[in-house]
Amino acid sequence: MKTLNSYRTGPDDEGHFGIYGGRYVAETLMPLILDLKDAYDEISDDAEFQKEMDYWLTHYVGRPSPLYFAGRFTEQLGGAKIYFKRDELNHTGAHKINNCIGQILVAQRMGKKRIIAETGAGQHGVATATVCARFGLPCTVYMGAVDIERQQPNVFRMKLLGAEVIPVESGSKTLKDAMNEALRDWVTNVDDTYYLIGTVAGPHPYPAMVRDFQTIIGRETKRQMNEAEGRLPDTLIACIGGGSNAIGLFHPFLDDEGVNIIGVEAAGHGVDTGQHAASVTAGSPGVLHGNRTYLLQDEDGQIQEAHSISAGLDYPGIGPEHSWLNDCDRVQYVSITDTEALEAFQVCSRIEGIIPALEPAHALAHVMKIAPDLPKDHLLVMNMCGRGDKDIFTVADALGVEL
Amino acid sequence: MSDRIATRFAKLRAEGRGGLVTFTMMGDPDIETSFEILKGLPAAGADVIEIGSPFTDPMADGPVIQVAGLRALRAGITLHKTLDLVRRFRESDQDTPLILMGYYNPIYIYGVPQFLEDAKSAGLDGMIVVDLPSEEDQELCIPAMSAGLNFIRLVAPTTDEQRLPVALNNSSGFVYYISITGITGAGSASSGNIADAVERVRRHTDLPVCVGFGIKTPEQAAEVARVADGAVVGSALIDSIAGSLDAAGQATADTVAAAHGLVAALADGVRRARDSGANA
């Protein structure tokens, strides 16, 4: 596998990255998935579409996001030169909007009249509600009841934006159940509804399409790093739930041999406690939500509940391309506990004046682990994929502070 | 190829009637009660039996079957134990077709070759796997056919003329027509739409066509059986089981009888359908 000429050619026409990916959906949805595949193929080589995307990314999202040299963080750790890719500065406060702009334009082209989405932390729900408001389409967001409880600010934000937020009471009442419920809505409302998936998972073409909309992160980083340092970075680090911010940063660098790439999963209370969300580190291949990928599951193939302090990482699977990149050893997958992420959250807030979301706080925690031992000319990029305003209640609770 | 399915539909044709296809969840509300229900289904009037194999994330199922699946998982059912129930059923019934219905992951984790070998030797006749469309035939459908097990395909209102041949490719046993776009247990389609849809499917296959999703009463089952080769009843049956449980969700003395009582009423409807249809 390591002798591949390129890591960037996948998926194949059936949506496979090696053994991962595919289209494991009910027949009712299959014709819709095929229509979407046609639409995706069409926009993939359409310069007009790209121009339209660029317009919205520049004027509405606020791209390019800065590649910021985190000087005090670098100084404190005393090793690698640390840069943050500031995707938390995007409109709506996370990288999720990059994908939402792309998909709402696709939905519009397909003549769809209604948008549905799932959300975990609420960032994707907010981004979806935002583009729906702007493009004038009704929006229904499915969100696990547990996540609604811990992400109240985002729930209210979605409602202000005109979206209907439907609490999901089935299963573990988190992201995976929200996705089940969104699929049930889609299977019921096949004629006019577009399912705007928030991460690089689901049936083909979603993992490829969402990735393509997120690679703006990596393409900008490549250019900006070249401007700042005149060369490629040495290490890229991003957190992984489904893995859309990570693949967005990683993908443009996959064929740059010297670039070391690390994905950070959520270890929750610890990988050996059984209460975590580290699908690659501690899971095995299986089929869920339309694709084959690494999953947390028992020996009977039943899906296990994930745990993470970060609602956005609280998912028992991972995008299929990450599973493949793991198996061919191109990307290294590690994990960070709730406690480590909380510590990184506070350190970053205090010394950089940036309150990170709990999701990238996992990536930051790994930076804190490895940066001190790296040489001072080692260029490290961490994807600051979301801001932490939404998490202050969760963090206060974890620190025993009453607000 | 297991031929219980073909034999049963031939018999139904000879009797001039459509069949009653029942769906119950193995392990719901507990493993032994679900077996007692299963064992008595042929006597109560089920012509073909679908046995549900639960999955934690049943993305095509409505609340009734979701909850039944959770009850079953809590009761400790596994795919291995489900095949044990098939084996026990065959000790007293060699003729009624048994079809496993569920999602792919538990089968994938069991291991496809081992599962097919064990399923065949236990006496299973076929399977319906909701999340395996024809695009993924290499996974299970083709190995199942080689192992002599039927792979029954779901066909939906969204499966248009162009797609029907693709969707029906490699299917065997019978065709399961989903009468509505939606989840199990949702509203039902009108009988006129069902008749048209069955005709549409029949133009593309010689296999029997059974219709399910949203069939709840003997009258609805009769209407469907008038135009199709079989009417599938699932959520209504599971509702009758759920309604008989105690406050803790445990089986009561009424549970098995509640299920068989509804099946008997449905079977009666189905059996009278063609007679009244001829007189209508």
Side-chain angles (χ1 to χ4, degrees):
Chain A
M1 291 285 253
K2 286 180 192 167
T3 55
L4 282 180
N5 290 322
S6 173
Y7 292 97
R8 303 178 62 211
T9 55
D12 66 17
D13 213 40
E14 266 72 54
H16 295 111
F17 301 91
I19 66 162
Y20 301 105
R23 288 174 289 200
Y24 300 87
V25 295
E27 170 61 27
T28 312
L29 289 181
M30 206 51 224
L32 283 76
I33 301 277
L34 293 172
D35 282 351
L36 181 61
K37 168 76 166 57
D38 289 343
Y40 167 63
D41 286 346
E42 229 171 79
I43 59 135
S44 294
D45 18 76
D46 182 346
E48 266 314 299
F49 184 88
Q50 198 47 56
K51 238 172 86 183
E52 214 178 336
M53 266 299 278
D54 290 346
Y55 173 85
W56 289 101
L57 290 177
T58 305
H59 299 282
Y60 192 65
V61 176
R63 302 209 72 95
S65 69
L67 181 68
Y68 160 74
F69 170 55
R72 288 199 71 205
F73 208 62
T74 299
E75 203 177 303
Q76 166 141 346
L77 295 175
K81 196 167 179 186
I82 300 159
Y83 283 86
F84 294 166
K85 178 60 175 165
R86 301 286 307 274
D87 255 52
E88 101 280 12
L89 292 178
N90 293 336
H91 181 38
T92 73
H95 70 289
K96 293 291 186 185
I97 190 96
N98 303 330
N99 166 49
C100 288
I101 289 285
Q103 287 200 57
I104 199 88
L105 293 174
V106 172
Q108 209 179 28
R109 284 200 170 198
M110 292 178 81
K112 300 293 182 181
K113 302 284 180 232
R114 172 177 176 261
I115 305 293
I116 58 171
E118 83 294 336
T119 197
Q123 291 302 96
H124 174 59
V126 166
T128 305
T130 298
V131 296
C132 286
R134 179 57 187 81
F135 286 77
L137 291 168
C139 176
T140 301
V141 179
Y142 290 93
M143 186 166 184
V146 167
D147 290 339
I148 285 184
E149 193 53 46
R150 58 181 166 176
Q151 300 289 346
Q152 276 299 327
N154 272 345
V155 174
F156 186 55
R157 230 166 252 148
M158 285 184 270
K159 288 180 178 167
L160 284 174
L161 291 160
E164 179 190 14
V165 181
I166 301 185
V168 176
E169 300 282 355
S170 58
S172 58
K173 306 175 189 182
T174 60
L175 181 53
K176 88 176 168 76
D177 310 284
M179 201 152 178
N180 290 332
E181 215 51 42
L183 284 163
R184 289 178 189 126
D185 180 311
W186 202 22
V187 95
T188 306
N189 301 294
V190 291
D191 291 331
D192 61 346
T193 297
Y194 182 92
Y195 182 14
L196 207 160
I197 292 186
T199 192
V200 284
H204 180 60
Y206 284 105
M209 181 171 66
V210 176
R211 174 200 68 200
D212 290 353
F213 293 144
Q214 291 293 2
T215 53
I216 184 77
I217 301 172
R219 285 182 276 129
E220 284 176 6
T221 300
K222 211 171 200 178
R223 198 187 65 230
Q224 291 165 323
M225 185 55 95
N226 197 43
E227 283 162 10
E229 301 277 356
R231 65 177 182 92
L232 289 168
D234 298 300
T235 297
L236 304 175
I237 298 185
C239 64
I240 302 209
S244 69
N245 91 82
I247 206 80
L249 175 65
F250 298 168
H251 197 262
F253 293 95
L254 288 176
D255 289 339
D256 297 311
E257 226 176 288
V259 181
N260 178 33
I261 306 181
I262 304 170
V264 184
E265 298 191 296
H269 296 317
V271 168
D272 48 1
T273 64
Q275 290 186 300
H276 58 81
S279 329
V280 172
T281 309
S284 57
V287 174
L288 177 70
H289 293 151
N291 65 100
R292 184 183 349 253
T293 194
Y294 277 93
L295 298 174
L296 302 179
Q297 54 185 332
D298 68 14
E299 66 287 348
D300 194 42
Q302 304 296 343
I303 307 305
Q304 290 171 325
E305 291 176 12
H307 167 80
S308 169
I309 190 169
S310 146
L313 306 183
D314 201 348
Y315 180 70
I318 183 171
E321 192 165 11
H322 285 292
S323 294
W324 178 75
L325 288 168
N326 173 72
D327 285 10
C328 44
D329 281 337
R330 177 61 188 98
V331 177
Q332 183 197 352
Y333 294 86
V334 299
S335 63
I336 284 292
T337 64
D338 288 353
T339 312
E340 292 168 321
L342 269 171
E343 173 65 18
F345 179 98
Q346 296 170 82
V347 170
C348 183
S349 302
R350 275 198 309 267
I351 68 171
E352 284 294 346
I354 297 170
I355 301 178
L358 279 170
E359 291 79 13
H362 285 72
L364 273 171
H366 193 68
V367 171
M368 288 167 68
K369 268 189 186 173
I370 65 168
D373 296 329
L374 292 168
K376 289 194 187 308
D377 60 352
H378 188 100
L379 303 179
L380 190 156
V381 178
M382 198 277 322
N383 196 10
M384 182 65 78
C385 62
R387 66 174 184 226
D389 311 41
K390 70 182 173 62
D391 291 317
I392 56 170
F393 298 102
T394 307
V395 172
D397 192 48
L399 300 177
V401 177
E402 212 158 312
L403 293 184
Chain B
M1 184 69 72
S2 157
D3 56 7
R4 285 189 197 98
I5 299 175
T7 308
R8 178 54 51 99
F9 281 103
K11 178 166 168 276
L12 290 169
R13 254 193 309 280
E15 291 175 16
R17 67 179 181 93
L20 174 65
V21 184
T22 60
F23 171 94
T24 53
M25 186 67 82
M26 294 302 97
D28 175 33
D30 60 76
I31 295 174
E32 278 315 304
T33 305
S34 72
F35 181 69
E36 286 308 310
I37 293 169
L38 171 65
K39 203 172 69 171
L41 285 172
D47 297 300
V48 174
I49 297 174
E50 292 176 7
I51 54 171
S53 178
F55 183 47
T56 38
D57 294 80
M59 61 185 180
D61 284 305
V64 172
I65 293 181
Q66 287 175 40
V67 172
L70 289 178
R71 280 195 301 264
L73 288 170
R74 271 198 295 270
I77 196 74
T78 62
L79 193 47
H80 283 90
K81 288 178 186 170
T82 297
L83 292 183
D84 288 341
L85 298 184
V86 171
R87 211 168 285 120
R88 284 170 65 193
F89 178 85
R90 283 283 171 247
E91 288 166 9
S92 59
D93 187 315
Q94 279 302 321
D95 303 319
T96 308
L98 280 185
I99 293 135
L100 182 106
M101 185 163 181
Y103 293 79
Y104 182 45
N105 199 51
I107 297 174
Y108 176 67
I109 295 306
Y110 194 114
V112 167
Q114 191 64 51
F115 170 75
L116 293 173
E117 195 186 320
D118 293 354
K120 179 79 181 167
S121 79
L124 195 73
D125 301 293
M127 63 207 82
I128 302 171
V129 184
V130 179
D131 51 353
L132 284 180
S134 49
E135 277 70 11
E136 304 293 349
D137 271 356
Q138 297 298 334
E139 291 281 343
L140 182 63
C141 173
I142 289 166
M145 291 202 310
S146 314
L149 285 159
N150 292 283
F151 198 85
I152 290 135
R153 191 76 76 192
L154 296 161
V155 168
T158 50
T159 316
D160 62 15
E161 289 300 306
Q162 200 189 344
R163 179 150 175 92
L164 265 170
V166 179
L168 291 171
N169 190 31
N170 295 327
S171 67
S172 60
F174 62 90
V175 177
Y176 187 141
Y177 180 73
I178 301 170
S179 63
I180 52 158
T181 56
I183 50 178
T184 51
S188 38
S190 75
S191 52
N193 287 347
I194 291 175
D196 292 347
V198 170
E199 275 318 301
R200 190 165 72 82
V201 176
R202 280 193 176 134
R203 283 199 292 275
H204 293 271
T205 182
D206 295 328
L207 293 171
V209 180
C210 296
V211 176
F213 279 42
I215 302 172
K216 294 182 172 71
T217 64
E219 293 70 30
Q220 287 171 322
E223 272 183 32
V224 168
R226 207 168 282 146
V227 295
D229 298 291
V232 188
V233 181
S235 294
L237 198 44
I238 286 173
D239 254 341
S240 75
I241 294 169
S244 75
L245 305 178
D246 66 19
Q250 303 295 315
T252 63
D254 299 332
T255 299
V256 174
H260 291 159
L262 179 59
V263 171
L266 292 162
D268 192 44
V270 164
R271 278 173 172 77
R272 281 189 307 195
R274 294 281 168 97
D275 305 341
S276 58
N279 298 335

